[in-house]
Amino acid sequence: MKNESQVIVRPARNARGSVSLPGDKSISHRYAMLAGIAEGPSRLENFSTGADCASTLGCLRSLGVKWEHKDSADNVIEVQGSGISLTAPTEPLDCGNSGSTIRMLSGIVAGQKFSSELAGDESLSRRPMERVITPLATMGARITSQNGRPPLIIAGAELKAIDYKMPVASAQVKTCLLFAGLFADGETRIEEPLRTRDHGEVALQAFGAHLDRAGNEIRIRGGQRLRGIEARVPGDLSSAAFFLCAAALFPGSQLTVTNLLMNPTRARLLDILVQMGLRISVTQLEEVHGELVGTLRVEGGRLRGATIAGADTAALIDEIPVLAAIAAYTEQGIEVRDAKELRVKESDRIASIARNLRAMGAQLQEREDGLKIPGGQSLHGAELESLGDHRIAMAFSIAALRAQSETLIRGSECAAISYPAFFATLEQLVER
Ligand code: S3P
């Protein structure tokens, strides 16, 4: 994203209204990839509008998968599955800014009969890939990288199943290995150190694969065939988190979010917000292709503090930026521990949060694996940097709503990585 733009966010009184979010990013990536290697057509409604999922679709097209954008209003994507054999790409696969694209697609191209190069932008080129390289190489793929970073050149092979204990809690890695397991000879067994989002498992089952799941262990047999599906992608809970935190800032807030993802491996945010004082009710809960979806109604109340550590940190990994951004306004403050992974996201998120909070006048402690942000502080508006990180741009536009003066966020265009309409929707939901 070269054309840098900026937004000004003015203080607000509360957040009110009703909103439906574009499709969840994690599910959209997985549905697109599985639709690409399934047999028969798939129709994916409310597909993510973010640039990251467009990167996945672009890579699939380079791998010979035919897909069409059908209805812009509902962002419908129709994919003609290629079956498990894809076509050799004639140029590097451009994964853009998307860690999910490069890591999960690696599992699919590792099982092909050709070599692929997977590359991305400057931020992606700094992100660690040994976490997929090591297990995929054990399965038989030959992979070269730049010291464990992209670009990756993956020479596909006849993969063999492995029994793998993941050293890092990462749903992208888990999904990569489950996808590779589809192409492997035998049964692949994966064990994760902490429970991470299970959209890979749920999506594989939706496309007709059989898996065995027990605790933190998943087993998948190679050679299974997938069939296309018709699905509506539930609204993105990590995008909704910004509006929920906006509502949490003001006792007078009332927000309704329809068609929202409620998958239990993603919904820890709701528990934390309830503990902090937001009143939340869920109605119209239903299961769609194994994913829970519902309507959420929230009302602002008190804003107590929270400690996020251990398994909670893994469960809230994408929501920590916005929780940290509102932490100074809480009664007791927020402490985040065990979050070293945040340092290797689209930016070093611990440093990005600390820098922007300090620019707004906050006191805090930055630690190697987290942050401690005391509560009861009042912040002033400031000139902030997105640091090219979509979640930082959006998180600080929420912090700006309760600042004493207006805030300018530079590089705000990066919100389009996950949610292009974010700033327009935020303006519709806040009252001044
Ligand atoms: C994702 C997993 C998480 C998350 C990312 C999406 C996924 O990354 O931060 O935004 O869809 O599996 P890690 O697997 O690196 O934890």
Side-chain angles (χ1 to χ4, degrees):
M1 300 234 159
K2 297 235 164 43
N3 300 324
E4 203 164 273
S5 58
Q6 56 191 41
V7 290
I8 290 177
V9 183
R10 288 180 293 121
R13 259 188 311 129
N14 60 39
R16 271 173 185 269
S18 178
V19 65
S20 180
L21 280 292
D24 184 69
K25 180 160 90 70
S26 293
I27 296 176
S28 296
H29 281 299
R30 286 162 172 86
Y31 279 3
M33 289 183 200
L34 292 178
I37 56 169
E39 283 161 25
S42 289
R43 179 179 161 88
L44 309 175
E45 294 172 7
N46 197 39
F47 192 78
S48 165
T49 49
D52 266 9
C53 293
S55 293
T56 285
L57 289 173
C59 291
L60 289 171
R61 180 158 281 157
S62 304
L63 290 161
V65 175
K66 295 196 168 44
W67 58 266
E68 266 183 87
H69 197 176
K70 278 287 176 184
D71 169 2
S72 291
D74 205 18
N75 212 28
V76 179
I77 307 291
E78 284 186 1
V79 184
Q80 274 308 322
S82 297
I84 54 166
S85 299
L86 299 173
T87 309
T90 52
E91 52 194 39
L93 300 171
D94 183 1
C95 304
N97 190 246
S98 175
S100 296
T101 306
I102 195 166
R103 293 196 180 119
M104 302 197 293
L105 202 57
S106 292
I108 292 177
V109 296
Q112 301 296 320
K113 293 194 168 62
F114 50 78
S115 279
S116 322
E117 178 172 344
L118 294 92
D121 69 8
E122 202 198 321
S123 151
L124 191 67
S125 304
R126 287 195 299 265
R127 297 184 65 188
M129 297 295 144
E130 328 78 44
R131 53 188 68 191
V132 293
I133 296 174
T134 305
L136 289 176
T138 313
M139 293 177 89
R142 276 172 297 117
I143 306 182
T144 57
S145 69
Q146 310 302 307
N147 267 327
R149 293 176 158 67
L152 305 180
I153 298 174
I154 304 186
E158 306 241 327
L159 302 180
K160 53 183 187 305
I162 53 167
D163 194 333
Y164 191 65
K165 239 182 150 149
M166 288 168 41
V168 189
S170 161
Q172 291 172 351
V173 175
K174 174 175 61 172
T175 304
C176 162
L177 299 180
L178 287 172
F179 287 179
L182 276 179
F183 297 90
D185 187 18
E187 186 178 72
T188 297
R189 183 185 159 275
I190 302 161
E191 195 183 320
E192 47 180 352
L194 293 171
R195 194 148 180 243
T196 63
R197 63 190 74 189
D198 67 356
H199 306 301
E201 297 89 304
V202 173
L204 276 161
Q205 286 170 319
F207 281 83
H210 177 80
L211 320 168
D212 289 300
R213 302 167 70 182
N216 288 0
E217 177 190 308
I218 311 129
R219 286 178 288 130
I220 186 164
R221 287 217 142 267
Q224 302 189 51
R225 296 163 95 171
L226 307 179
R227 50 175 157 64
I229 62 169
E230 286 196 7
R232 178 165 191 84
V233 183
D236 193 314
L237 181 54
S238 300
S239 298
F242 300 105
F243 304 139
L244 301 180
C245 286
L249 288 177
F250 308 101
S253 297
Q254 276 191 348
L255 269 187
T256 302
V257 189
T258 56
N259 186 47
L260 186 64
L261 177 68
M262 298 278 174
N263 176 314
T265 62
R266 290 283 293 287
R268 187 75 184 121
L269 172 74
L270 305 183
D271 301 326
I272 298 281
L273 289 174
V274 167
Q275 282 168 29
M276 288 169 69
L278 199 67
R279 286 190 289 275
I280 301 186
S281 63
V282 178
T283 54
Q284 290 168 293
L285 203 58
E286 56 173 331
E287 195 181 308
V288 186
H289 287 297
E291 293 287 1
L292 271 188
V293 186
T295 292
L296 198 74
R297 197 174 150 77
V298 305
E299 282 180 30
R302 280 178 70 181
L303 191 56
R304 300 186 199 92
T307 299
I308 301 166
D312 278 351
T313 301
L316 288 163
I317 199 73
D318 290 339
E319 290 74 59
I320 290 173
V322 66
L323 287 168
I326 63 165
Y329 304 122
T330 63
E331 292 169 21
Q332 290 84 13
I334 292 185
E335 181 172 356
V336 179
R337 299 203 297 258
D338 310 315
K340 244 172 53 197
E341 272 295 301
L342 286 180
R343 294 216 180 261
V344 291
K345 294 288 182 189
E346 286 83 331
S347 72
D348 173 343
R349 286 188 174 156
I350 295 182
S352 308
I353 291 165
R355 170 179 167 164
N356 283 326
L357 276 176
R358 286 198 178 108
M360 296 180 82
Q363 300 290 324
L364 61 105
Q365 276 176 40
E366 176 181 347
R367 298 168 178 166
E368 192 40 43
D369 72 340
L371 295 148
K372 185 170 164 88
I373 306 156
Q377 307 188 53
S378 81
L379 306 185
H380 54 72
E383 294 196 1
L384 305 180
E385 303 286 340
S386 71
L387 300 152
D389 184 333
H390 55 127
R391 297 209 196 275
I392 297 297
M394 294 187 277
F396 279 89
S397 70
I398 303 305
L401 297 176
R402 233 181 92 169
Q404 286 154 344
S405 46
E406 66 181 33
T407 294
L408 180 140
I409 302 174
R410 288 209 183 83
S412 54
E413 75 288 343
C414 65
I417 287 295
S418 56
Y419 192 1
F422 171 75
F423 289 106
T425 307
L426 180 66
E427 280 310 302
Q428 283 162 13
L429 293 176
V430 297
E431 289 185 347
R432 297 207 159 79

Short mmCIF file of all heavy atoms in Angstrom, two decimals, residues 370-421:
data_model
loop_
_atom_site.label_atom_id
_atom_site.label_comp_id
_atom_site.label_asym_id
_atom_site.label_seq_id
_atom_site.Cartn_x
_atom_site.Cartn_y
_atom_site.Cartn_z
N GLY A 370 4.90 -8.30 26.62
CA GLY A 370 3.60 -7.71 26.94
C GLY A 370 3.65 -6.25 27.32
O GLY A 370 4.62 -5.54 27.01
N LEU A 371 2.59 -5.81 27.99
CA LEU A 371 2.43 -4.39 28.35
C LEU A 371 1.68 -4.31 29.67
O LEU A 371 0.82 -5.16 29.95
CB LEU A 371 1.55 -3.69 27.30
CG LEU A 371 2.07 -3.56 25.89
CD1 LEU A 371 0.90 -3.61 24.91
CD2 LEU A 371 2.83 -2.25 25.71
N LYS A 372 1.99 -3.30 30.45
CA LYS A 372 1.16 -3.01 31.62
C LYS A 372 0.74 -1.56 31.51
O LYS A 372 1.59 -0.65 31.52
CB LYS A 372 1.94 -3.28 32.90
CG LYS A 372 1.08 -3.12 34.15
CD LYS A 372 1.83 -3.62 35.37
CE LYS A 372 1.20 -3.13 36.64
NZ LYS A 372 0.17 -3.93 37.18
N ILE A 373 -0.57 -1.37 31.36
CA ILE A 373 -1.09 -0.02 31.13
C ILE A 373 -2.01 0.35 32.29
O ILE A 373 -3.10 -0.22 32.41
CB ILE A 373 -1.87 0.03 29.78
CG1 ILE A 373 -0.97 -0.50 28.65
CG2 ILE A 373 -2.36 1.45 29.49
CD1 ILE A 373 -1.74 -1.04 27.46
N PRO A 374 -1.59 1.25 33.17
CA PRO A 374 -2.43 1.63 34.30
C PRO A 374 -3.72 2.30 33.82
O PRO A 374 -3.75 2.94 32.76
CB PRO A 374 -1.56 2.63 35.07
CG PRO A 374 -0.18 2.45 34.56
CD PRO A 374 -0.30 1.96 33.16
N GLY A 375 -4.79 2.12 34.63
CA GLY A 375 -6.08 2.73 34.28
C GLY A 375 -6.20 4.14 34.83
O GLY A 375 -5.24 4.70 35.37
N GLY A 376 -7.37 4.71 34.67
CA GLY A 376 -7.68 6.02 35.23
C GLY A 376 -6.91 7.16 34.61
O GLY A 376 -6.75 8.22 35.24
N GLN A 377 -6.43 7.00 33.39
CA GLN A 377 -5.66 8.07 32.75
C GLN A 377 -6.56 8.81 31.76
O GLN A 377 -7.47 8.23 31.18
CB GLN A 377 -4.47 7.50 31.98
CG GLN A 377 -3.57 6.59 32.80
CD GLN A 377 -2.30 6.22 32.03
OE1 GLN A 377 -1.56 7.07 31.55
NE2 GLN A 377 -2.03 4.93 31.92
N SER A 378 -6.28 10.08 31.56
CA SER A 378 -7.01 10.73 30.46
C SER A 378 -5.98 11.09 29.39
O SER A 378 -4.88 11.54 29.70
CB SER A 378 -7.82 11.92 30.97
OG SER A 378 -7.00 13.02 31.12
N LEU A 379 -6.33 10.80 28.15
CA LEU A 379 -5.37 10.96 27.05
C LEU A 379 -5.74 12.15 26.19
O LEU A 379 -6.91 12.54 26.11
CB LEU A 379 -5.35 9.70 26.18
CG LEU A 379 -5.10 8.36 26.91
CD1 LEU A 379 -4.99 7.23 25.90
CD2 LEU A 379 -3.85 8.42 27.77
N HIS A 380 -4.74 12.71 25.53
CA HIS A 380 -5.03 13.81 24.60
C HIS A 380 -4.89 13.30 23.16
O HIS A 380 -4.24 12.28 22.91
CB HIS A 380 -4.08 14.99 24.85
CG HIS A 380 -2.61 14.63 24.84
ND1 HIS A 380 -1.94 14.32 23.68
CD2 HIS A 380 -1.71 14.54 25.84
CE1 HIS A 380 -0.67 14.06 23.96
NE2 HIS A 380 -0.50 14.17 25.28
N GLY A 381 -5.51 14.00 22.24
CA GLY A 381 -5.35 13.66 20.83
C GLY A 381 -3.91 13.86 20.42
O GLY A 381 -3.15 14.57 21.10
N ALA A 382 -3.50 13.18 19.35
CA ALA A 382 -2.09 13.26 18.94
C ALA A 382 -1.98 12.92 17.46
O ALA A 382 -2.96 12.52 16.83
CB ALA A 382 -1.28 12.28 19.78
N GLU A 383 -0.76 13.03 16.93
CA GLU A 383 -0.49 12.56 15.56
C GLU A 383 0.10 11.17 15.70
O GLU A 383 1.17 11.02 16.30
CB GLU A 383 0.48 13.50 14.86
CG GLU A 383 -0.14 14.86 14.65
CD GLU A 383 0.60 15.72 13.64
OE1 GLU A 383 1.59 15.26 13.05
OE2 GLU A 383 0.15 16.86 13.45
N LEU A 384 -0.57 10.18 15.18
CA LEU A 384 -0.16 8.79 15.37
C LEU A 384 0.21 8.16 14.04
O LEU A 384 -0.17 8.65 12.97
CB LEU A 384 -1.30 7.99 16.00
CG LEU A 384 -1.88 8.53 17.32
CD1 LEU A 384 -3.01 7.62 17.81
CD2 LEU A 384 -0.80 8.66 18.39
N GLU A 385 0.92 7.03 14.12
CA GLU A 385 1.32 6.29 12.92
C GLU A 385 0.67 4.91 12.95
O GLU A 385 0.72 4.24 13.98
CB GLU A 385 2.84 6.06 12.91
CG GLU A 385 3.69 7.30 13.00
CD GLU A 385 3.72 8.09 11.71
OE1 GLU A 385 3.39 7.51 10.64
OE2 GLU A 385 4.04 9.28 11.77
N SER A 386 0.16 4.48 11.82
CA SER A 386 -0.37 3.10 11.76
C SER A 386 0.76 2.08 11.71
O SER A 386 0.55 0.91 11.98
CB SER A 386 -1.23 2.93 10.50
OG SER A 386 -0.40 2.92 9.34
N LEU A 387 1.95 2.54 11.32
CA LEU A 387 3.11 1.66 11.12
C LEU A 387 2.77 0.55 10.13
O LEU A 387 3.27 -0.58 10.23
CB LEU A 387 3.59 1.11 12.48
CG LEU A 387 3.99 2.28 13.41
CD1 LEU A 387 3.80 1.92 14.87
CD2 LEU A 387 5.41 2.72 13.14
N GLY A 388 1.86 0.87 9.19
CA GLY A 388 1.50 -0.07 8.13
C GLY A 388 0.71 -1.26 8.64
O GLY A 388 0.55 -2.25 7.93
N ASP A 389 0.17 -1.16 9.85
CA ASP A 389 -0.49 -2.31 10.47
C ASP A 389 -1.98 -2.00 10.66
O ASP A 389 -2.35 -1.11 11.42
CB ASP A 389 0.19 -2.58 11.83
CG ASP A 389 -0.34 -3.82 12.52
OD1 ASP A 389 -1.51 -4.20 12.27
OD2 ASP A 389 0.41 -4.41 13.32
N HIS A 390 -2.81 -2.76 9.94
CA HIS A 390 -4.25 -2.48 9.94
C HIS A 390 -4.84 -2.45 11.34
O HIS A 390 -5.65 -1.58 11.66
CB HIS A 390 -4.99 -3.50 9.06
CG HIS A 390 -4.78 -4.94 9.39
ND1 HIS A 390 -5.80 -5.82 9.61
CD2 HIS A 390 -3.65 -5.68 9.57
CE1 HIS A 390 -5.32 -7.02 9.87
NE2 HIS A 390 -4.02 -6.96 9.86
N ARG A 391 -4.45 -3.41 12.19
CA ARG A 391 -5.10 -3.44 13.51
C ARG A 391 -4.63 -2.27 14.39
O ARG A 391 -5.36 -1.82 15.26
CB ARG A 391 -4.87 -4.79 14.19
CG ARG A 391 -5.50 -5.93 13.41
CD ARG A 391 -5.94 -7.10 14.24
NE ARG A 391 -6.16 -8.25 13.37
CZ ARG A 391 -7.29 -8.51 12.70
NH1 ARG A 391 -8.34 -7.71 12.81
NH2 ARG A 391 -7.40 -9.57 11.91
N ILE A 392 -3.44 -1.76 14.16
CA ILE A 392 -2.97 -0.59 14.92
C ILE A 392 -3.76 0.65 14.47
O ILE A 392 -4.22 1.44 15.30
CB ILE A 392 -1.45 -0.40 14.73
CG1 ILE A 392 -0.69 -1.61 15.31
CG2 ILE A 392 -0.97 0.92 15.32
CD1 ILE A 392 -0.85 -1.81 16.82
N ALA A 393 -3.96 0.81 13.16
CA ALA A 393 -4.72 1.98 12.66
C ALA A 393 -6.12 1.98 13.26
O ALA A 393 -6.61 3.01 13.74
CB ALA A 393 -4.79 1.93 11.13
N MET A 394 -6.77 0.83 13.26
CA MET A 394 -8.17 0.77 13.73
C MET A 394 -8.23 0.89 15.25
O MET A 394 -9.09 1.59 15.80
CB MET A 394 -8.83 -0.51 13.23
CG MET A 394 -8.96 -0.53 11.70
SD MET A 394 -9.91 -1.91 11.03
CE MET A 394 -8.68 -3.19 11.00
N ALA A 395 -7.29 0.24 15.96
CA ALA A 395 -7.30 0.27 17.43
C ALA A 395 -7.18 1.72 17.93
O ALA A 395 -7.89 2.14 18.85
CB ALA A 395 -6.14 -0.56 17.98
N PHE A 396 -6.30 2.50 17.29
CA PHE A 396 -6.09 3.86 17.81
C PHE A 396 -7.19 4.83 17.39
O PHE A 396 -7.38 5.86 18.03
CB PHE A 396 -4.66 4.33 17.50
CG PHE A 396 -3.74 3.74 18.55
CD1 PHE A 396 -3.17 2.50 18.36
CD2 PHE A 396 -3.56 4.37 19.76
CE1 PHE A 396 -2.40 1.90 19.36
CE2 PHE A 396 -2.81 3.79 20.77
CZ PHE A 396 -2.22 2.56 20.57
N SER A 397 -7.96 4.47 16.37
CA SER A 397 -9.12 5.31 16.07
C SER A 397 -10.16 5.12 17.17
O SER A 397 -10.95 6.03 17.44
CB SER A 397 -9.69 4.98 14.69
OG SER A 397 -10.29 3.72 14.73
N ILE A 398 -10.14 3.98 17.85
CA ILE A 398 -11.07 3.77 18.98
C ILE A 398 -10.55 4.53 20.21
O ILE A 398 -11.32 5.23 20.88
CB ILE A 398 -11.23 2.25 19.27
CG1 ILE A 398 -11.71 1.51 18.01
CG2 ILE A 398 -12.19 2.03 20.45
CD1 ILE A 398 -12.98 2.03 17.38
N ALA A 399 -9.24 4.43 20.48
CA ALA A 399 -8.68 5.20 21.60
C ALA A 399 -8.98 6.69 21.41
O ALA A 399 -9.27 7.42 22.37
CB ALA A 399 -7.17 4.97 21.68
N ALA A 400 -8.96 7.14 20.16
CA ALA A 400 -9.16 8.57 19.86
C ALA A 400 -10.56 9.04 20.23
O ALA A 400 -10.77 10.24 20.48
CB ALA A 400 -8.91 8.82 18.37
N LEU A 401 -11.53 8.12 20.29
CA LEU A 401 -12.92 8.54 20.56
C LEU A 401 -13.07 9.13 21.96
O LEU A 401 -13.99 9.89 22.21
CB LEU A 401 -13.88 7.34 20.41
CG LEU A 401 -13.98 6.72 19.02
CD1 LEU A 401 -14.88 5.50 19.07
CD2 LEU A 401 -14.49 7.73 17.99
N ARG A 402 -12.18 8.71 22.90
CA ARG A 402 -12.33 9.25 24.26
C ARG A 402 -11.20 10.21 24.64
O ARG A 402 -11.07 10.58 25.80
CB ARG A 402 -12.45 8.12 25.28
CG ARG A 402 -13.70 8.33 26.13
CD ARG A 402 -13.89 7.28 27.16
NE ARG A 402 -13.29 7.61 28.44
CZ ARG A 402 -13.52 6.91 29.55
NH1 ARG A 402 -14.32 5.84 29.50
NH2 ARG A 402 -12.96 7.23 30.67
N ALA A 403 -10.39 10.59 23.65
CA ALA A 403 -9.31 11.54 23.94
C ALA A 403 -9.90 12.95 24.10
O ALA A 403 -11.05 13.19 23.74
CB ALA A 403 -8.30 11.51 22.81
N GLN A 404 -9.08 13.85 24.65
CA GLN A 404 -9.61 15.20 24.90
C GLN A 404 -9.64 16.08 23.65
O GLN A 404 -10.29 17.11 23.63
CB GLN A 404 -8.77 15.89 25.98
CG GLN A 404 -9.05 15.32 27.34
CD GLN A 404 -7.89 15.49 28.28
OE1 GLN A 404 -6.76 15.76 27.85
NE2 GLN A 404 -8.13 15.31 29.56
N SER A 405 -8.91 15.69 22.63
CA SER A 405 -8.89 16.49 21.41
C SER A 405 -8.75 15.54 20.23
O SER A 405 -8.59 14.33 20.42
CB SER A 405 -7.70 17.46 21.46
OG SER A 405 -6.54 16.76 21.89
N GLU A 406 -8.78 16.09 19.00
CA GLU A 406 -8.80 15.18 17.85
C GLU A 406 -7.45 14.53 17.60
O GLU A 406 -6.39 15.05 17.97
CB GLU A 406 -9.33 15.89 16.61
CG GLU A 406 -8.46 16.99 16.09
CD GLU A 406 -9.08 17.66 14.86
OE1 GLU A 406 -10.31 17.76 14.76
OE2 GLU A 406 -8.29 18.07 14.00
N THR A 407 -7.50 13.37 16.93
CA THR A 407 -6.31 12.56 16.67
C THR A 407 -6.16 12.35 15.17
O THR A 407 -7.15 12.12 14.47
CB THR A 407 -6.48 11.18 17.36
OG1 THR A 407 -6.49 11.40 18.76
CG2 THR A 407 -5.36 10.21 17.01
N LEU A 408 -4.93 12.45 14.70
CA LEU A 408 -4.67 12.19 13.29
C LEU A 408 -3.92 10.86 13.19
O LEU A 408 -2.96 10.64 13.93
CB LEU A 408 -3.82 13.33 12.74
CG LEU A 408 -3.43 13.24 11.27
CD1 LEU A 408 -3.53 14.64 10.65
CD2 LEU A 408 -2.03 12.71 11.07
N ILE A 409 -4.40 9.98 12.34
CA ILE A 409 -3.72 8.69 12.16
C ILE A 409 -3.14 8.63 10.74
O ILE A 409 -3.90 8.65 9.76
CB ILE A 409 -4.68 7.51 12.42
CG1 ILE A 409 -5.24 7.63 13.85
CG2 ILE A 409 -3.96 6.16 12.23
CD1 ILE A 409 -6.31 6.63 14.20
N ARG A 410 -1.83 8.58 10.66
CA ARG A 410 -1.16 8.52 9.36
C ARG A 410 -1.09 7.07 8.89
O ARG A 410 -0.91 6.17 9.69
CB ARG A 410 0.28 9.01 9.47
CG ARG A 410 0.38 10.47 9.67
CD ARG A 410 1.69 11.02 9.07
NE ARG A 410 1.71 12.42 9.38
CZ ARG A 410 2.13 12.89 10.56
NH1 ARG A 410 2.63 12.08 11.47
NH2 ARG A 410 2.06 14.18 10.80
N GLY A 411 -1.20 6.89 7.57
CA GLY A 411 -1.10 5.54 7.01
C GLY A 411 -2.35 4.73 7.31
O GLY A 411 -2.32 3.51 7.44
N SER A 412 -3.50 5.46 7.39
CA SER A 412 -4.75 4.79 7.78
C SER A 412 -5.28 3.86 6.70
O SER A 412 -6.12 3.00 6.97
CB SER A 412 -5.80 5.85 8.10
OG SER A 412 -5.93 6.73 7.00
N GLU A 413 -4.77 4.00 5.46
CA GLU A 413 -5.28 3.16 4.36
C GLU A 413 -5.06 1.68 4.63
O GLU A 413 -5.74 0.83 4.06
CB GLU A 413 -4.66 3.57 3.02
CG GLU A 413 -3.21 3.16 2.78
CD GLU A 413 -2.21 3.95 3.63
OE1 GLU A 413 -2.59 5.02 4.15
OE2 GLU A 413 -1.07 3.48 3.78
N CYS A 414 -4.11 1.36 5.52
CA CYS A 414 -3.83 -0.06 5.75
C CYS A 414 -5.00 -0.79 6.41
O CYS A 414 -5.03 -2.02 6.44
CB CYS A 414 -2.53 -0.27 6.53
SG CYS A 414 -2.62 0.38 8.18
N ALA A 415 -6.00 -0.05 6.92
CA ALA A 415 -7.19 -0.72 7.47
C ALA A 415 -7.81 -1.64 6.41
O ALA A 415 -8.46 -2.64 6.74
CB ALA A 415 -8.21 0.31 7.93
N ALA A 416 -7.59 -1.30 5.12
CA ALA A 416 -8.16 -2.11 4.03
C ALA A 416 -7.61 -3.53 3.97
O ALA A 416 -8.17 -4.39 3.31
CB ALA A 416 -7.93 -1.41 2.69
N ILE A 417 -6.52 -3.79 4.68
CA ILE A 417 -5.99 -5.16 4.73
C ILE A 417 -7.05 -6.12 5.25
O ILE A 417 -7.20 -7.23 4.75
CB ILE A 417 -4.71 -5.20 5.61
CG1 ILE A 417 -3.56 -4.53 4.88
CG2 ILE A 417 -4.35 -6.62 6.05
CD1 ILE A 417 -3.11 -5.22 3.62
N SER A 418 -7.80 -5.68 6.28
CA SER A 418 -8.86 -6.57 6.75
C SER A 418 -10.26 -5.97 6.61
O SER A 418 -11.23 -6.71 6.54
CB SER A 418 -8.63 -6.96 8.22
OG SER A 418 -8.52 -5.82 9.05
N TYR A 419 -10.37 -4.61 6.54
CA TYR A 419 -11.72 -4.02 6.62
C TYR A 419 -11.75 -2.67 5.91
O TYR A 419 -11.70 -1.61 6.56
CB TYR A 419 -12.07 -3.87 8.11
CG TYR A 419 -13.53 -3.54 8.41
CD1 TYR A 419 -14.48 -3.42 7.40
CD2 TYR A 419 -13.95 -3.37 9.72
CE1 TYR A 419 -15.79 -3.12 7.69
CE2 TYR A 419 -15.27 -3.08 10.03
CZ TYR A 419 -16.18 -2.95 9.01
OH TYR A 419 -17.49 -2.64 9.30
N PRO A 420 -11.91 -2.65 4.57
CA PRO A 420 -11.86 -1.39 3.83
C PRO A 420 -12.89 -0.36 4.29
O PRO A 420 -12.61 0.84 4.26
CB PRO A 420 -12.13 -1.83 2.38
CG PRO A 420 -11.74 -3.26 2.34
CD PRO A 420 -12.00 -3.84 3.70
N ALA A 421 -14.08 -0.79 4.72
CA ALA A 421 -15.12 0.19 5.06
C ALA A 421 -15.05 0.63 6.52
O ALA A 421 -15.96 1.30 7.02
CB ALA A 421 -16.50 -0.39 4.76
#
